[in-house]
Amino acid sequence: LQKSLNETFGADKYSEARKEVLTNMFSRPMQMAVYFCTGVLKDERLFRHYALNVPFYTHFTSPIRRYADVLVHRLLSASLGASSPIKMEKEAIQRQADHCNDRKMASKRVQELSADLFFAVFVRVRA
């Protein structure tokens, strides 16, 4: 998608803005990734990553960014035997994942509403 957008728009002064707006619009309907505890899911097909087409997938970034990443780091470290096991039941881990998902969705919604507001102000000022 990104390659198509880059090739479609010219090099005029508005091309970058058009590409940015369309990229934002195209990505909104895409399903967001969710955190979950594998121990509470019975169907292993839910572990797969659709876009990468891999059956088992985990994702995390630097543990200084989000609590969910701290939790994933701890769980992976324990599962690899590099640290002691986590003393949390799988249901408690799932509750943490649900909370992280809720906060991530709320943050995304606020970001979208903020962008909509500033776009509306921009259009109104320019009209």
Side-chain angles (χ1 to χ4, degrees):
L1 180 62
Q2 192 67 36
K3 183 179 177 190
S4 295
L5 288 173
N6 287 336
E7 292 172 356
T8 302
F9 297 109
D12 68 329
K13 65 181 182 176
Y14 299 113
S15 63
E16 194 63 33
R18 285 192 302 268
K19 184 175 70 171
E20 192 71 32
V21 167
L22 286 177
T23 299
N24 187 306
M25 291 173 70
F26 289 146
S27 65
R28 276 190 183 185
M30 292 181 183
Q31 182 179 359
M32 284 185 62
V34 293
Y35 298 105
F36 62 90
C37 176
T38 58
V40 300
L41 297 179
K42 304 293 184 224
D43 187 355
E44 286 188 3
R45 291 176 295 178
L46 298 174
F47 299 0
R48 73 177 292 106
H49 190 289
Y50 175 78
L52 297 177
N53 194 27
V54 292
F56 296 100
Y57 179 82
T58 191
H59 172 84
F60 57 90
T61 61
S62 169
I64 64 170
R65 292 192 59 210
R66 294 182 289 247
Y67 179 70
D69 298 318
V70 172
L71 195 55
V72 171
H73 273 252
R74 289 177 182 167
L75 291 166
L76 283 173
S77 180
S79 70
L80 295 171
S83 64
S84 55
I86 303 293
K87 294 180 172 128
M88 288 176 73
E89 297 293 323
K90 59 186 174 187
E91 293 78 13
I93 294 170
Q94 183 58 50
R95 282 193 301 277
Q96 289 293 318
D98 290 339
H99 179 73
C100 290
N101 291 329
D102 290 343
R103 296 296 82 214
K104 185 169 69 166
M105 288 299 294
S107 174
K108 181 172 174 44
R109 184 68 181 135
V110 168
Q111 180 183 6
E112 290 172 352
L113 290 171
S114 174
D116 291 348
L117 173 65
F118 282 99
F119 183 69
V121 169
F122 173 78
V123 169
R124 186 173 189 183
V125 169
R126 299 288 184 236

